[in-house]
Amino acid sequence: MNKKIASKLVVSSALVSSAFVSTINVDAAAQSSSAEKWVKEAENLAGTLKWAISIESANTDITEIPWDYYNQTKDALKKAREAIKSLPVKERTILETRLNENVELYVSTNPNKVGRVVAYIDAVTAGKKIEEKKKALAEKLQKNEIDNTTEKAYHELTKEIRKQGILLDRVYGYSTRQIIRDHFKKSAEQVKEEALYPVSIKIEIDRANEATAAGKYEEAKKRLESANYFLERGIEKGFIKRENALYTTLSEKINASTEYYKANTETKVENPSSGGGGGGYVPPADYIVNGTTATVRSAVAFEKALGEGAIKDIKLAASFGDANKVYKLNRIVNVDFGSYTLNGDLTIETRAEEGTIKLKGSGNPAIRGNLTVNGSNLTVNNSIVVSGEINLLDVKAGTWNENAEGNKLTIEDKDAIVNLKKNTGRITVKGKATESTTINVGAGVTVASLVADNPVHIKGEGVVAAAVINANVIMGTLPERIFVEDGFTITKSTGEQYTSEELNAITDNKLVLEFIIEDAKSLNKNTVAGTKPGQVSQAAKDALGTAITTAEGILNDTNVTDVTNAVTALEIAIATFEKAIVTDDAEVTPLEQAIAAKENFKTAYASEKLDWDTLITAIHYLNEAEKAGADVKALKDYYAGIDSLDMSNKDTSRYDISTGALVDFTGLTNLDLSGVTSITELGGLVGLTKLTTLNISGTKVKELNVLWNETEARFPDLTNLQAENIDTLTSIGGLVEVTNAAGFSPAGLTWNLSGSILAEDPHDHIGYITTKFQNSDGTFTAPKLAKSTPLEQAIAAKGNFETAYANGTLDWDTLITAIYYLNEARAAKEEVSDLEAYYAGIESLDMSNKDTSKYAISTGALVDFTGLTNLDLSGVTNITELGGLVGATDLTTLNISGTKVKELNVLWNETEARFPDLTNLQAENIDTLTSIGGLVEVTNVAGFSPAGLTWNLSGSILAEDPHDHIGHITSKFTNGSTFTAPMVKDSAPAPTAETLNIDETFTLQDGIVSFI
C-alpha cells in the first residue's frame, strides 16, 4: 500500500456538511486518447523492468542493474504524465491511477514510497560498497597481515554492513531479498567473523606493549593472557589453524610482546618512595590550629600537622602537594579534604595502634595519586575519591567502609572484610588474600570489575558486573561477564560449583546469543505487518518479539545449558518468522486482507501500540473489500463499536494522515488527536456524532466548522473541547454557530483554546463567545490574536523560556526567540525593565551539545545574561566567537570545549581581566584556535595569581605560537593551579590504535572481559 491509499481517505473541510466518502471509480474501458498509448508504453516497459530484476528471469547475475530498461521506463512515465495533463478530470484521474499502480510502483524515488526497482538498485549499489570493504579485509587475511590497516579494515567493514544493510532489507520479494542478503551481507559477515579473533589479538598485544612501556605491568600481564586466550578460542572456533601462516604470525607477535614484558619486569628497579614528615618554614597563614584541629594550606603545613601528636583532625583549605611524593600518616588522625585535592600518594601506616580514621571530602579527586593503608587494628571510614589505587595491605577485620563512588581497590589483606556502600570501580584481590578475605557488596551497589588472583568471598545483595578469576572464589551471584582461568572454580553461596570450562562456555555462548538477538531485532523491525508479499502478520511479529525478550532475559543466566537452549530457541523463532512472511505468489482475497488487517488493528489497540500505519491499513482494506462486494458488516460493526481512540503525538506514517481514516469509527465518544501536526482538517469526523471529548491541541487545523451541521450542533454531547497551541486557526465561526443555537447553555462545557493563535477576528467572535460563557460554570479559554504588541510577544517568549529552563529542556530556538522579542519591545520603547531583570538574574546556563537551531547560533544571544556565574557552551560547534559575553563579568566557570572559537581575547578588556572571578576555564578539543593572547594578557596583569585556577585547553590545537605564549603561561602557573596547554598544529600527534574502536569484538580491558 502507498500514499494513494490514504489519499482516498482525505476529506476536505469544505465537505463538513455533506457525506464524507468520496471514492475514485476506475472505468478501464473509457480510454481512447493518444495519452492511452503513452500510458500503455510506460506500463509495458515497467513490466519488462520488473522481470529484469526477478530471480526467475534469464538474468542470473544479481549484481547487474538493468539501467537501460529503468531509464526507458522513467522517460516513458514522464511523457505519459505530460500527455494526460490536458485531459478531462475524470479521464486524467483514471490514467493517473494506472501510472501510480503499474509504473510509479517500480520507479518512484519518493523517500516515503521507494519504487521496487529503485529499492533493488539501491540494494545492489549498497551491496557493492560492502563488497569493496569485504575485499580489503579479506586480502589482509589472505596475506596473514594483522596490523593497523587490518584493524581499520575490520572497523570499516563493520560500519559498512550496518550502514548499508538496511538497504538490502528493502528489496521487494522474499526470495530475491534473501539472495541479495546472502550474496552481499552474509558473505561479508563471514569474512568479518574470520577476522574477529586475529584483530582482537592484535589489539591486546598493542595494549600490552603500551602498558609495559608505561610500567603498568599488571595490566600488561592481563593483556597478554587475553591475547593467548583469544588465540586458543580462535583455534577452537576454526578461524585460526595451527598449520597456517596466520597462526605463526599471531604467535610471533604474542611471543615478542611477552619477551618485551619479561625484559622490563626482570630488570626494573622501583624508585624508593620519598618519606613523609616535612621540614622548612611554614607561613602562619598556612597552618592554623584551633584546639586539636589544624587547618592547612600547603604541603609543608600538611606534613607538619601529620607529625604533631596533639592534632586529631586535619582540614585542607587549599589544593597542594607534589605528584611524585609520598605523604605518610603514622598515627590515628582524621583528614577532611573539603573540596580540595592532595597531589601525591598518601600512606597510612599505624601498625598495631588501635582506632578509627575518617577520610572525607567532596573533591574529585580528593587524592590525585594512590592511597595505601597498613594497620592491623585500624578502622577506616573512607568517603573520598582517589584517582589512583586504594591499596589495602592490612586493616582490622570488617572495618574498611567504602562510602565513595568509583574508587579502584587492591586488597592484599589475608582476612580483610571490606564493606562497599557505593558503586566501585575495579577491585583486585592478590598478595596475601585468602578465603577469609571478604567483600560485602551492599544492596544497590555495583562493582564494575573484579580481578581475583587470590581466593576471596563475595557477599551481599549488590552485583559484580564483570570478573576475571585466577583463583577459587565464593560468590553469591555470578557476574554477567566472566572469564575463569583453567583449573579454578567458582562456588556459589548455595554450595553450587562451576568449573572454568562451564563458565567460559557461558561467556562464548552469550556472545553468540547477543549476535542472534541483534539479527532477530533487525528482522522484526524491517518486516512490515500486513498481508502483502514481503509482509508478515502482527501475530508473527509479536511471537518473535516475545522470543527476543525471552532470549535477552537469558543473557544474565549462569547456566550453560540455558544459554545454549536460548540460542537454539531464538534460531527456531527466526526460522518460523521467516516462513510466515508472505511470498510473492500468495493469493489473498480482499476480505481476507481486511480481516487480517483488522486483527492487526485489534492487537495493536489492545496493547496500546496502535499507530496510523496500522489504522490506515485496516480502513483501506475494509474499503477494498466493500468495493469487491464482500460482506463487511461484521468488520464495520467492530470499528463502529470502538468508543475511545488515542492517537495523540503519533505524527508519523508512510501514508498521508488525515481524519478521513476515522470515518468508520462512528461510535467514538472520546477522541485524542493532540500533537498530530499532519491533521489540517476535521471533515472525517462528521459521522462521529456521539463525541463527548475531543482533543485537537497542537494540530494544524484551520477552522472548526465541523462542529456545526448548518442547523444544529453536530456533536450535541461534546462537553470537553481541547484545542490548545494551534497556530493555524483562521476562523472559530463554528463555535459561534453552536452558541447561537436555540437552547444553547454553556453549563458544564469546557472549550480550551489557550495558546492557540487566531489569524484575525474582524467580527469579534472571541468577545461574542466570551459573553455567552459569562455567569456560568462553563469555561471558555480564548485564543490569542496573531497581531499582539511587542511587549506581549516578549512576555510570552519569556514565559516559554522560563518553562523550558525550569524543565531542563531549554534550546537555542527558545532562547534566541526570547531575546529577539525583548529587543523588539525595546525598539518599540516598551517598559522592559522586569524582563531585563529576569534574564540578568539567571546565574547558571547549560547549552552544552545543543548545536541545532532554525536561527543563527552565536554568543550575541547571551548579551542580556549579565548575572551568569556558570556558562556551559561545550559541543556547540556553531559558536565561533565570545563577544556576547563581555557583560557577564561575574563568570566563575566557563566551558567552551568543542566549539569553533578562534581566540580568547574576550578574557581581557584592555586594562584588566574581564572576568576577575573566573577560576575554571574549560576549552578542550578546539581545533580552530589562532591565538591565546587573551590568556597571556590576564597573566601579565599586576597582582595576578594562578592559585586555585584551572585553565584546561587539553586536546585543543593552536594554529601557531610564534611568541611562545604557551611557555609564558606555563611559567606563571605553580602548585595549586592547573594550566593544560593546547597542542601547536605542526606538533599534534597522529591517531594511534588506542583511538580506534572495533565493533562486535571483545577484549580484556582494565583487567575485565569487555564486549565492544
Side-chain angles (χ1 to χ4, degrees), residues 65 139 317 347 398 495 599 617 630 637 643 770 820 836 878 907:
I65 298 175
E139 287 177 352
T347 296
E599 290 302 315
T617 299
D637 288 347
D643 59 9
T770 301
Y820 168 79
E836 290 174 334
N878 286 295
L907 277 73

Coordinates of all heavy atoms in Angstrom, one line a residue, residues 65 139 317 347 398 495 599 617 630 637 643 770 820 836 878 907:
I65 N 22.6 -4.3 -12.9 CA 21.5 -3.3 -12.8 C 20.9 -3.0 -14.2 O 21.7 -2.6 -15.1 CB 21.9 -2.0 -12.1 CG1 22.3 -2.3 -10.7 CG2 20.8 -1.0 -12.1 CD1 22.9 -1.1 -9.9
E139 N 41.7 -9.5 1.8 CA 43.1 -9.5 1.2 C 44.1 -9.5 2.4 O 45.2 -10.1 2.3 CB 43.3 -8.3 0.3 CG 42.6 -8.5 -1.0 CD 42.7 -7.3 -1.9 OE1 43.2 -6.2 -1.4 OE2 42.3 -7.4 -3.1
A317 N 42.5 23.6 53.4 CA 41.9 24.8 53.0 C 42.4 25.2 51.6 O 42.1 26.4 51.1 CB 42.2 25.9 54.0
T347 N 50.2 7.4 52.4 CA 50.3 6.1 53.0 C 49.9 6.2 54.5 O 50.5 7.1 55.2 CB 51.8 5.6 52.9 OG1 52.1 5.4 51.5 CG2 51.9 4.3 53.6
G398 N 36.6 -6.3 59.0 CA 35.3 -5.7 58.9 C 35.3 -4.2 59.1 O 34.2 -3.6 59.3
G495 N 26.4 -23.4 47.6 CA 27.2 -24.6 47.5 C 27.4 -25.1 46.1 O 28.2 -26.0 45.8
E599 N -7.4 -7.7 12.5 CA -6.7 -8.4 13.6 C -5.5 -7.7 14.0 O -5.2 -7.6 15.2 CB -6.4 -9.9 13.2 CG -7.6 -10.8 13.0 CD -8.5 -10.8 14.3 OE1 -7.9 -10.9 15.4 OE2 -9.7 -10.7 14.2
T617 N -4.1 1.2 7.2 CA -4.1 -0.1 6.5 C -5.4 -0.8 6.7 O -6.0 -1.4 5.8 CB -2.9 -1.0 7.0 OG1 -1.7 -0.3 6.7 CG2 -2.9 -2.3 6.3
A630 N -17.8 -7.8 -1.0 CA -17.7 -8.8 0.1 C -18.6 -8.3 1.3 O -19.0 -7.1 1.4 CB -16.3 -8.9 0.7
D637 N -19.1 -3.2 12.0 CA -19.7 -3.1 13.3 C -18.5 -3.1 14.4 O -18.7 -2.4 15.4 CB -20.5 -4.4 13.6 CG -21.8 -4.3 12.8 OD1 -22.2 -3.3 12.3 OD2 -22.5 -5.4 12.8
D643 N -15.3 3.0 21.3 CA -15.8 4.2 21.9 C -14.7 5.2 22.3 O -14.9 6.4 22.5 CB -16.7 4.0 23.1 CG -16.0 3.2 24.2 OD1 -14.7 3.1 24.1 OD2 -16.6 2.8 25.1
T770 N -17.1 34.7 24.6 CA -16.8 35.0 26.0 C -18.1 35.5 26.7 O -18.4 35.1 27.8 CB -15.7 36.1 26.1 OG1 -14.5 35.6 25.4 CG2 -15.4 36.4 27.5
Y820 N 15.1 37.9 21.1 CA 14.6 38.7 19.9 C 13.4 39.6 20.3 O 13.4 40.8 20.0 CB 14.3 37.7 18.8 CG 13.5 38.4 17.6 CD1 14.2 39.1 16.7 CD2 12.1 38.3 17.5 CE1 13.6 39.8 15.6 CE2 11.5 38.9 16.5 CZ 12.2 39.7 15.5 OH 11.5 40.3 14.5
E836 N 14.3 42.5 31.6 CA 15.8 42.6 31.7 C 16.3 42.0 33.0 O 17.3 41.3 33.1 CB 16.2 44.0 31.5 CG 15.9 44.5 30.1 CD 16.2 46.0 29.9 OE1 16.1 46.8 31.0 OE2 16.5 46.5 28.8
N878 N 28.6 25.7 16.5 CA 28.3 27.0 15.8 C 28.9 28.2 16.5 O 28.8 29.3 15.9 CB 26.7 27.1 15.7 CG 26.1 26.2 14.7 OD1 26.4 26.3 13.5 ND2 25.4 25.2 15.1
L907 N 38.6 37.6 27.3 CA 39.0 37.5 28.7 C 39.7 38.7 29.2 O 40.0 38.9 30.4 CB 39.9 36.3 29.0 CG 39.2 34.9 29.2 CD1 38.6 34.4 27.9 CD2 40.1 33.9 29.8

